[in-house]
Amino acid sequence: MMFPRLFTPLTIKGVTIRNRIIATGHLTHFASTDGLVTQRLIDYHVARAKGGIGLIITESMAIHPSTAQSQYTIRLYDRQVLPGLRELTSQIKAYGAAVFCQLHHMGREMTSVDTMRPVVAPSALMDPLKREVPHELSKAEIRELVEAYATCTAHAREAGYDGVEVHCAHGYLIQEFLSPLTNHREDEYGGSFEGRLRFAREVIRAVKGAAGQMVVGIRIDGDEFVDGGLSLEDVQEIVVALVAEGLDYVGLSVGHDLNYPPIFPSMDFPLGCFVYLASAIKRLVDVPVYTSHRINDPALAERILEEGHADLVAMTRATLADPELPNKAKEGDVDGIRPCVGCLQRCFHRLRLRAPISCLGNPAVGREREFAPLPASQPRKVAVVGGGPAGLEAARVLALRRHHVVLFEQEEELGGMLRLAARVPHRDELMGIARWQILQLKRLGVEVRLGQRASAKDLAPFDAVVLATGAEYGPPSLVVSEQVPHYNTLEALELGEAEVAGKTILVVDRDYHNKALGLAERLAQMGAQVVVATEEAEVGVDLDLVNKMMIWERLRELGVKSISKARFEGANGEDVLVVHEGWERVLRGVGAVVVVDKPKANTLLAREMESQFPEKAVYLAGNCAAPRLTPEAIFDGYRIALEI
Amino acid sequence: MLAVVLLKKAVFLSESALRPQPVQGLLATRRPFIGAHDLAALHHALSLREQAAVSRVAAITAGGSEADVILCQAYALGADEVFRVPWEGDAGLTDASPVGRVLAGVLAGLPAGVVFCGHLSPDSGRGLVPYVVAQSLGWPLVTRAVKVQMTPDLPHLRIHRDVGRGNREVVECPLPAVVTAVRYPSGWRYPKCARLLAFRRRNVPTLSPPSSPGMPSEKRWLADMEMTRARPRPKKIFTPDENLSAAERMKMIVSGGLKAKKGKVVDGSGADAASKVYEVLVECGYAPK
């Protein structure tokens, strides 16, 4: 076996976990707005259980009416959820996975939009991201919450869970009590270390009292990464004290609203970068410890176990990208595992948009029933034009469905826009998606014709045609100064160090995603003085929060400046007049302007087909249908491949 | 039931446990102390009392009146009774076997259910006494105990043994038995000042062995319960310095982690990239020149 440690079962208090791969509790937005379990949620978890995962910790569930992560949060305090949860747990267990329930209270890290009640916290200190001043909990309210934890534990037991996990991480209520940053109480629930620990202790005692034979564990941040907050040493002390209360396992995590990016580490974070937190705890306790965050590869997981840093490895996003990861790893089919590249575009970002989660590489997430690639009843001869993410995905799924597929790509290499996207600093992992798709095409025996620009005539013999011809960047949509050279996105990517070093370059963001910021970083790394400007409220306004925070961290070090709500009012040679909210600013010595526009759909071949073969079944996928982002392109390819 | 702890009066530490060094000059200046293994033995006896598995804990040592300081420490740490067995010789260094037989004789006259000893003494490092005691009494001997619990079906002890390299063996032992302890468990017991003062107000009773101790009539056997493999000790892993600011710690993590992102990056496409990759492979020694 390629990964012997990963597939060694582990028994925790009588519950045997068949392997060391687990999925941590994560919100999916698949529950109903009444907080009830839906078939979609069951299908989602069942797909992972079928895929061979050892343990599923279902999403964080509200223990009290004063908390809701969103309108899709399961209300564990309400007995109405029990029939649905019973169905969920029994179906997960039917496929051999263990299932734990996560008990959760958001504390101040929420808005009152969904509960219409005051946000509560140990102290009336405003959360920096949610910006609501919470109500300071009274002692009676604290007692009520402790009882709520016990009641919900009993509900979890009734629903057939194997264990419960008390959420003490991510800056939620229990961590707010633990941390001196958020607990300014002067009664017995605050002040000293023992005082701040009191609420967690009472909760764990109450949960243990109600749990019976169920496993009881916690998830806790290993380091708050905020000066004056809990450090690793503090957390070690806390964990030892809580384990003495009878915990059966400890899960390590990181990140909260005062230090947001690590909660959902993007591809800016190295793989396994927070394993050391679990390692530091594992040295101290006798109960199993799990680690998480950017562990996307069974080889890395095996190494973590081999080196003794943890007993279980959370591969949550990795199993989102490929639910079959455990089965494939067990069989040694490493090349078959669709990678999680940490892009955050359809998991984290869609949560922020209050939409159900999905995955850039795996459009079937949350659509397990309707997106099951069943064999075609009548295999057809299908041409796919374009070797970008949409075309590759369409060809892959078509071949999977036993159609005869020929892929045309005018370039000598496959990958399309992903190849360009991966050239921006810290985005190289994006190419992992295309690399996996290309490998699958080889395995499925898809005929790939590289360097061949398909014409309508070439496509005539096929039963159906999928056009994924992408989009193109035209001339810059804006001229700031006639005397200064202007470049579009593609041209800017080709600029060399000799052309940019020492120059002041104005990057105008009209794409509103990561491209302007990525180009700014690339140019600044080559020695340019970069100013990024946008007409919008901020540069990269549509980019997810984590990626935006991380890239700005680096841009600040590179001295990149930004101007939001910018209007270009005129120029005198290399001096550009910019108006920002009524203030006038002259950018002097601008040596070049990069205008990052949205690309234009390449519909040349589509129109040609329409005129020459109007009866032919032609489908448009990805940017050639409408210029969008990679996840939408892959989704198009998958969807269309199912329609043919 | 009485738990007895046999304590060795140690006066110096040898550089090598097997080859005691001639440090007679130091003997006059060094105070006697209880060795680490003996402390572990005392801890196990006291923890059994805390589990209500035994009613009293008695500490016994062999030697002259100078050994009372050892008993004083044991009393301050929580022993209920202390006894000294008069012994004129060099208890432990050369007389392990006769001392063991004398102690066995004393134990035969006590209602002892379990006898704890340190696995090795810090001076001679031989650890013969418990073997002699067990052999003389015909009791089972369980060595290298790290955790001792009373089973619900009395009178058996469930003992976790350290069998090396972090592996643990669990055995169930019928009572009475002799148990040797190897190390002090986590947590620490501190001597109580009040008991130190109380010890000064009392005389240490002495016990003399009967002239001909009776030999046991029946043999008792250990039962193997389970064997647990050692948990792998975490290897060293990059951990940011706690003294750094939060921002600096985070910066270190982003630039490192378990699998650092730094490495050779080959830029180019097609045949150009392939030749560059080949050069890197040659440079790293993965491909022939």
Side-chain angles (χ1 to χ4, degrees):
Chain A
M1 188 182 282
M2 200 181 268
F3 307 112
R5 288 168 190 83
L6 204 53
F7 291 95
T8 301
L10 176 74
T11 301
I12 308 177
K13 201 181 170 187
V15 177
T16 299
I17 299 168
R18 61 182 161 184
N19 58 52
R20 306 304 180 96
I21 303 171
I22 72 166
T24 51
H26 57 287
L27 192 64
T28 57
H29 283 179
F30 294 150
S32 74
T33 49
D34 301 323
L36 299 174
V37 174
T38 60
Q39 189 59 48
R40 195 178 187 186
L41 181 68
I42 293 174
D43 291 344
Y44 167 77
H45 284 302
V46 164
R48 269 122 206 101
K50 269 187 196 169
I53 200 163
L55 166 67
I56 291 174
I57 303 170
T58 54
E59 58 201 87
S60 40
M61 298 184 189
I63 56 111
H64 191 264
S66 60
T67 177
Q69 206 162 359
S70 76
Q71 72 266 43
Y72 303 106
T73 304
I74 293 178
R75 298 166 194 168
L76 191 57
Y77 56 83
D78 185 347
R79 290 188 61 83
Q80 280 189 59
V81 302
L82 295 188
L85 286 179
R86 254 182 241 122
E87 184 64 18
L88 175 68
T89 57
S90 63
Q91 292 214 29
I92 290 173
K93 286 184 188 179
Y95 288 99
V99 56
F100 292 180
C101 174
Q102 195 175 54
L103 308 177
H104 184 224
H105 193 297
M106 298 283 288
R108 69 172 191 168
E109 282 195 2
M110 58 176 274
T111 64
S112 53
V113 168
D114 300 303
T115 59
M116 297 304 286
R117 292 169 180 236
V119 172
V120 299
S123 301
L125 300 167
M126 187 184 75
D127 181 80
L129 285 185
K130 304 301 187 308
R131 298 184 290 274
E132 276 196 42
V133 179
H135 160 69
E136 182 173 313
L137 286 162
S138 68
K139 287 185 199 171
E141 287 164 337
I142 289 174
R143 277 195 295 277
E144 186 185 327
L145 287 176
V146 172
E147 282 167 21
Y149 273 100
T151 308
C152 289
T153 305
H155 288 179
R157 196 173 155 188
E158 218 175 303
Y161 278 100
D162 297 312
V164 287
E165 178 175 279
V166 181
H167 203 324
C168 305
H170 301 169
Y172 298 135
L173 185 67
I174 296 180
Q175 187 175 332
E176 285 162 21
F177 270 95
L178 292 171
S179 173
L181 290 171
T182 43
N183 184 345
H184 290 189
R185 295 178 75 96
E186 291 176 353
D187 60 7
E188 64 265 38
Y189 288 97
S192 67
F193 173 80
E194 283 296 320
R196 286 181 279 115
L197 193 62
R198 187 182 301 276
F199 180 65
R201 273 205 168 118
E202 288 180 0
V203 167
I204 287 164
R205 279 176 197 162
V207 169
K208 286 287 291 180
Q213 287 306 304
M214 278 199 302
V215 172
V216 176
I218 57 167
R219 192 172 194 205
I220 192 165
D221 276 7
D223 188 340
E224 283 199 309
F225 288 109
V226 180
D227 293 330
L230 297 171
S231 67
L232 176 57
E233 279 179 27
D234 298 324
V235 176
Q236 284 177 316
E237 210 173 331
I238 289 168
V239 169
V240 168
L242 294 182
V243 166
E245 298 293 334
L247 290 179
D248 302 310
Y249 76 91
V250 178
L252 268 295
S253 191
V254 70
H256 54 109
D257 274 4
L258 292 167
N259 181 22
Y260 201 70
I263 286 192
F264 268 90
S266 60
M267 65 182 86
D268 300 290
F269 288 83
L271 299 176
C273 57
F274 293 113
V275 170
Y276 78 93
L277 296 171
S279 187
I281 296 296
K282 189 165 153 54
R283 285 163 205 273
L284 301 178
V285 297
D286 283 329
V287 295
V289 173
Y290 76 70
T291 183
S292 60
H293 287 61
R294 287 283 277 151
I295 301 166
N296 63 359
D297 179 350
L300 176 60
E302 177 76 6
R303 186 175 150 200
I304 290 166
L305 297 172
E306 185 184 349
E307 294 188 354
H309 302 306
D311 303 286
L312 294 159
V313 181
M315 302 180 78
T316 314
R317 282 185 291 164
T319 50
L320 198 76
D322 194 340
E324 289 288 327
L325 179 148
N327 284 343
K328 289 175 181 171
K330 196 173 183 180
E331 289 160 12
D333 178 18
V334 180
D335 287 340
I337 298 171
R338 187 195 286 112
C340 164
V341 294
C343 69
L344 308 184
Q345 290 188 49
R346 285 185 78 90
C347 49
F348 164 73
H349 191 47
R350 281 178 65 83
L351 285 180
R352 298 283 296 184
L353 297 173
R354 294 189 156 238
I357 59 165
S358 184
C359 176
L360 175 140
N362 182 10
V365 171
R367 292 178 167 81
E368 282 76 12
R369 264 172 208 248
E370 63 264 40
F371 270 26
L374 302 175
S377 52
Q378 281 186 318
R380 300 168 74 186
K381 206 173 169 193
V382 186
V384 177
V385 184
L392 289 170
E393 188 66 6
R396 184 186 76 82
V397 181
L398 284 165
L400 213 57
R401 297 188 60 223
R402 299 180 193 165
H403 288 297
H404 305 291
V405 186
V406 178
L407 176 73
F408 295 87
E409 168 56 50
Q410 63 178 359
E411 304 273 334
E412 288 297 335
E413 280 181 75
L414 296 169
M417 282 286 187
L418 277 175
R419 270 194 302 127
L420 299 177
R423 289 179 64 185
V424 171
H426 294 269
R427 285 290 167 274
D428 47 335
E429 275 186 63
L430 275 175
M431 197 53 196
I433 293 288
R435 210 171 285 130
W436 178 81
Q437 289 173 317
I438 294 164
L439 199 58
Q440 303 318 302
L441 295 195
K442 274 188 191 162
R443 287 174 150 204
L444 292 163
V446 172
E447 185 186 342
V448 178
R449 297 184 190 170
L450 289 176
Q452 185 173 343
R453 192 184 187 101
S455 65
K457 204 173 154 190
D458 296 328
L459 303 174
F462 292 93
D463 301 326
V465 175
V466 179
L467 295 181
T469 48
E472 288 171 347
Y473 288 96
S477 62
L478 173 80
V479 177
V480 175
S481 170
E482 296 288 351
Q483 279 79 46
V484 174
H486 283 55
Y487 303 100
N488 69 15
T489 307
L490 274 185
E491 291 161 348
L493 268 176
E494 297 303 327
L495 290 172
E497 202 168 327
E499 293 156 286
V500 303
K503 276 188 184 169
T504 296
I505 298 182
L506 174 65
V507 178
V508 183
D509 180 17
R510 290 187 147 189
D511 174 74
Y512 313 119
H513 203 254
N514 75 321
K515 293 186 188 72
L517 291 167
L519 273 173
E521 187 177 4
R522 184 180 161 89
L523 295 168
Q525 279 181 348
M526 290 194 290
Q529 299 286 321
V530 183
V531 178
V532 200
T534 181
E535 293 135 337
E536 272 296 333
E538 61 173 328
V539 179
V541 69
D542 292 335
L543 182 61
D544 67 87
L545 186 64
V546 169
N547 274 309
K548 199 159 23 194
M549 287 168 104
M550 292 306 293
I551 195 165
W552 267 115
E553 200 66 35
R554 296 194 299 273
L555 291 181
R556 263 194 290 276
E557 281 191 13
L558 291 166
V560 173
K561 297 181 178 72
S562 79
I563 305 176
S564 57
K565 298 181 186 174
R567 276 189 297 121
F568 299 98
E569 293 285 332
N572 180 12
E574 293 188 341
D575 297 342
V576 176
L577 176 65
V578 187
V579 177
H580 159 78
E581 293 190 330
W583 295 90
E584 289 187 351
R585 186 177 289 266
V586 178
L587 301 177
R588 298 197 185 279
V590 173
V593 177
V594 176
V595 183
V596 184
D597 286 310
K598 298 245 186 218
K600 290 189 176 72
N602 181 354
T603 53
L604 201 67
L605 189 56
R607 278 180 281 148
E608 203 178 319
M609 287 296 292
E610 195 174 15
S611 63
Q612 291 186 28
F613 304 103
E615 302 302 318
K616 180 82 70 190
V618 176
Y619 301 84
L620 301 188
N623 278 356
C624 80
R628 286 157 298 157
L629 301 170
T630 308
E632 283 75 27
I634 294 178
F635 190 93
D636 274 2
Y638 197 110
R639 174 180 55 78
I640 288 167
L642 293 180
E643 286 173 14
I644 295 174
Chain B
M1 188 167 67
L2 180 70
V4 175
V5 188
L6 301 180
L7 298 173
K8 168 78 183 292
K9 181 197 70 174
V11 284
F12 65 90
L13 290 164
S14 64
E15 284 178 19
S16 159
L18 295 174
R19 288 185 290 109
Q21 303 300 305
V23 284
Q24 296 298 322
L26 286 172
L27 290 179
T29 56
R30 295 289 296 272
R31 281 176 62 80
F33 65 96
I34 304 176
H37 293 324
D38 283 1
L39 270 178
L42 180 61
H43 170 84
H44 289 317
L46 294 172
S47 65
L48 277 185
R49 188 185 64 190
E50 285 151 11
Q51 295 167 37
V54 299
S55 55
R56 297 182 72 71
V57 172
I60 297 178
T61 190
S65 58
E66 75 282 359
D68 286 356
V69 66
I70 296 300
L71 298 175
C72 176
Q73 289 171 27
Y75 189 74
L77 284 166
D80 300 299
E81 298 163 50
V82 289
F83 301 103
R84 177 161 53 79
V85 176
W87 185 260
E88 295 299 323
D90 186 5
L93 279 180
T94 54
D95 299 344
S97 186
V99 165
R101 282 197 295 276
V102 166
L103 288 172
V106 168
L107 289 167
L110 293 174
V114 55
V115 175
F116 288 99
C117 309
H119 183 62
L120 299 173
S121 59
D123 44 14
S124 71
R126 285 185 295 177
L128 276 177
V129 169
Y131 289 87
V132 177
V133 168
Q135 191 184 25
S136 304
L137 293 170
W139 292 359
L141 172 69
V142 183
T143 55
R144 304 182 67 88
V146 289
K147 188 176 175 185
V148 180
Q149 297 163 308
M150 190 62 82
T151 54
D153 46 338
L154 287 169
H156 275 65
L157 280 183
R158 177 166 289 212
I159 299 167
H160 296 243
R161 299 182 63 232
D162 178 352
V163 289
R165 303 181 75 86
N167 299 323
R168 297 283 177 90
E169 184 190 40
V170 182
V171 295
E172 271 194 7
C173 171
L175 294 180
V178 179
V179 180
T180 71
V182 281
R183 64 177 178 194
Y184 203 83
S186 57
W188 196 253
R189 289 176 192 273
Y190 292 96
K192 289 191 170 55
C193 187
R195 290 183 70 84
L196 279 172
L197 295 172
F199 185 87
R200 289 186 185 175
R201 291 195 295 271
R202 57 184 288 171
N203 291 320
V204 177
T206 55
L207 292 172
S208 299
S211 52
S212 56
M215 294 305 286
S217 56
E218 57 170 324
K219 294 271 185 191
R220 298 182 184 88
W221 302 100
L222 301 184
D224 286 330
M225 301 310 290
E226 61 177 301
M227 177 79 182
T228 52
R229 288 264 163 225
R231 289 191 306 151
R233 289 176 65 185
K235 281 194 178 174
K236 276 191 180 173
I237 186 169
F238 165 76
T239 304
D241 186 349
E242 284 283 303
N243 297 316
L244 295 173
S245 73
E248 284 168 331
R249 291 204 301 276
M250 186 54 77
K251 199 179 286 181
M252 288 182 85
I253 289 162
V254 172
S255 60
L258 191 63
K259 192 173 168 186
K261 284 187 126 180
K262 284 173 190 164
K264 291 263 179 196
V265 175
V266 172
D267 206 356
S269 62
D272 176 41
S275 65
K276 284 179 182 170
V277 168
Y278 187 73
E279 281 168 23
V280 172
L281 292 174
V282 170
E283 198 182 313
C284 297
Y286 297 129
K289 283 184 184 175

